[in-house]
Amino acid sequence: MHLVYQQGFRNHVSTEAIPGTLPQGQNAPQHPSLGLYTEQLSLSAFTVPRQHNLHSWLYRRQPSVSTHAPQILCDYPYFLSANPSSAPISPEPLRWNPYPFASTPIHWLNSLYTYVTAGDVSLRQGGAIHLYACNRSMEQHIFYNTDGDLLILPETGALLIETELGRMRVAPGEMAMIPRGIMLRVQLLDQEARGYVVENYGQPWQLPELGPIGANGLANVRDFDIPVAWVEEAQTPCTIITKLNGHFWQKKLEQSPFNVVAWHGTAYPYRYDFAKFNTLGSISFDHPDPSIFTVLTSPSAHIGIANLDLILFPPRWLVAEHTFRPPYFHRNVMNEFMGLICGRYEAKQEGFLPGGASLHNRLTAHGPDIDAFKLASTETLKPKYIADTLAFMVEGSLLWHPTSMVMTSPQLQTKYAACWQGF
Ligand SMILES: [Fe+2]
């Protein structure tokens, strides 16, 4: 399947599935062409500063109001949202073996399984991290999340993500971001799929400031792919599932809601290939904090403190002199959830596998395991390329609550801390 993309990040783009349908010079003409209806999608308050304003004008065959239908409350017992909780959170380091592949027929939405939540979904603070493992396309099921933006990071299996604003192919090593409020359907392009989903309740993702780094480096604006407008011509009945404040509702539609013929604006899904991340690091001695690997950040109300940061550990050269090169031992006031897309993470010789996860909450000591420490302390220092690795971390300012499901899961490693025995 060949899909065409535009490039950019938060800049104003225009696209049309049928040439000539995008009004010129006016957002809301009295009669858009082809009898289309004009609808604005606002993903930021009307009044936020221009550089933060996220809104798009959609020109569609049916306005969204025409899809109203009775909604039935439904249950997704494994797809959870954060709520204020006084439940104890263990200060122990936690790690999980890979999430099992699906053994029975299941599609992406039904397979979402929540590992951790943080903050409060109703206050739009914090987020959640889910894993999926599926072997079916969503077909006539369409999902619509009002609670947060969804970052989808495949670990196995390519996905075709169909949305109201266009379609994207997303493979392992890439990520897709689906803003809150955009309807989506995940179709499989391989026999099975597994991966991670980061749900961000807080401020929308933005690129980190570069400061003294200058104009270039990390994730560049031109490397983000934006889908072009797409209309689903087949009109088969479908079920729309909505998540609102952690609860799920569903309704039936007789026709596809993927009917946006043209759109323009700053609110849209996008795709990013992690291979395009321009990794920076030390070329003298010591190594910087992992914040230098930030791909995207969701700021909090406090300057310099993220609600969530997406941080990448990609293949890269290590060249520093006199320096212990793996991540250092540390205790961090921020809260770190990690996943592995492929290969091996350099701070762990074993036990952290693709499809697995680790959690080091506020000020929990962690770092290289004993074997990684011994190796990195004694090997001859010369430029070294770390190949075959792609790990990520979602670092947040709010504590991650592991769900009771993952604390009793057979994937939980009960002897994780033993990797630091022997120092
Ligand atoms: Fe860490």
Side-chain angles (χ1 to χ4, degrees):
M1 174 183 299
H2 178 68
L3 295 174
V4 176
Y5 300 91
Q6 312 166 82
Q7 273 69 47
F9 187 90
R10 285 198 172 193
N11 48 338
H12 199 113
V13 299
S14 301
T15 172
E16 43 192 21
I18 301 176
T21 46
L22 202 58
Q24 299 298 314
Q26 186 179 352
N27 291 324
Q30 187 180 15
H31 297 293
S33 64
L34 303 180
L36 300 177
Y37 295 90
T38 304
E39 182 176 293
Q40 186 176 209
L41 173 71
S42 295
L43 297 186
S44 59
F46 301 142
T47 48
V48 299
R50 275 175 183 260
Q51 70 268 30
H52 297 298
N53 205 302
L54 295 176
H55 75 119
S56 290
W57 284 96
L58 318 183
Y59 303 91
R60 58 194 314 161
R61 290 178 176 163
Q62 291 290 316
S64 294
V65 289
S66 66
T67 68
H68 282 308
Q71 300 261 10
I72 300 167
L73 201 56
C74 57
D75 200 18
Y76 276 75
Y78 307 115
F79 184 1
L80 304 174
S81 298
N83 293 294
S85 168
S86 57
I89 302 172
S90 170
E92 292 179 59
L94 298 171
R95 193 166 67 182
W96 291 270
N97 287 326
Y99 187 54
F101 285 103
S103 56
T104 54
I106 190 167
H107 64 64
W108 179 84
L109 177 64
N110 283 355
S111 79
L112 286 173
Y113 186 94
T114 305
Y115 270 51
V116 294
T117 66
D120 186 333
V121 66
S122 67
L123 296 179
R124 299 179 60 186
Q125 295 172 345
I129 300 175
H130 322 279
L131 269 81
Y132 65 88
C134 52
N135 48 24
R136 291 287 185 278
S137 292
M138 285 174 65
E139 304 292 357
Q140 73 275 34
H141 296 92
I142 294 171
F143 180 50
Y144 165 55
N145 186 22
T146 71
D147 288 341
D149 303 328
L150 298 173
L151 274 186
I152 302 173
L153 293 80
E155 178 264 333
T156 297
L159 306 175
L160 174 67
I161 302 178
E162 300 172 316
T163 79
E164 283 174 287
L165 300 190
R167 302 184 293 174
M168 301 182 289
R169 183 187 186 280
V170 188
E174 301 174 326
M175 51 144 265
M177 198 289 291
I178 315 298
R180 61 201 74 190
I182 304 281
M183 291 194 191
L184 76 149
R185 180 169 62 195
V186 177
Q187 312 282 43
L188 268 59
L189 296 175
D190 292 307
Q191 290 294 313
E192 58 183 355
R194 184 171 71 177
Y196 304 83
V197 175
V198 181
E199 184 180 6
N200 171 24
Y201 307 147
Q203 292 296 307
W205 295 106
Q206 61 187 56
L207 293 172
E209 296 299 337
L210 292 175
I213 292 172
N216 306 288
L218 310 188
N220 291 304
V221 167
R222 71 189 176 98
D223 292 327
F224 286 82
D225 299 324
I226 304 163
V228 299
W230 161 73
V231 172
E232 184 173 47
E233 296 294 348
Q235 297 298 325
T236 46
C238 57
T239 301
I240 308 288
I241 298 104
T242 301
K243 184 161 88 76
L244 175 64
N245 204 31
H247 295 286
F248 292 84
W249 300 81
Q250 69 177 44
K251 65 181 178 184
K252 301 283 188 189
L253 280 190
E254 289 305 311
Q255 55 196 13
S256 171
F258 297 136
N259 60 28
V260 178
V261 176
W263 59 267
H264 70 91
T266 54
Y268 41 71
Y270 51 79
R271 179 183 79 159
Y272 180 67
D273 181 351
F274 290 136
K276 294 178 177 173
F277 186 75
N278 184 196
T279 317
L280 304 179
S282 173
I283 53 171
S284 58
F285 58 85
D286 282 351
H287 53 85
D289 293 326
S291 49
I292 204 163
F293 301 140
T294 302
V295 182
L296 295 171
T297 185
S298 160
S300 75
H302 303 281
I303 293 172
I305 300 177
N307 175 57
L308 300 175
D309 278 336
L310 175 69
I311 291 171
L312 192 68
F313 301 95
R316 61 199 184 278
W317 283 96
L318 297 182
V319 297
E321 295 182 308
H322 317 304
T323 299
F324 180 79
R325 291 173 176 180
Y328 39 70
F329 298 116
H330 62 291
R331 298 191 299 151
N332 183 4
V333 74
M334 300 286 274
N335 306 283
E336 305 179 9
F337 177 97
M338 284 193 69
L340 187 63
I341 305 294
C342 69
R344 188 165 71 181
Y345 177 57
E346 74 265 31
K348 297 291 189 294
Q349 285 295 299
E350 58 180 42
F352 184 43
L353 299 168
S358 72
L359 177 63
H360 305 110
N361 255 328
R362 180 195 304 160
L363 295 170
T364 292
H366 60 287
D369 63 21
I370 183 79
D371 293 332
F373 174 81
K374 286 179 178 171
L375 186 66
S377 304
T378 54
E379 68 183 346
T380 303
L381 289 184
K382 55 187 177 185
K384 177 181 178 182
Y385 188 69
I386 305 189
D388 189 26
T389 187
L390 189 61
F392 71 92
M393 174 165 71
V394 183
E395 182 175 287
S397 51
L398 302 172
L399 272 171
W400 291 118
H401 290 238
T403 60
S404 57
M405 302 184 300
V406 293
M407 291 306 291
T408 54
S409 155
Q411 280 72 50
L412 180 67
Q413 297 180 4
T414 55
K415 294 184 169 57
Y416 171 33
C419 77
W420 293 297
Q421 292 297 309
F423 287 108

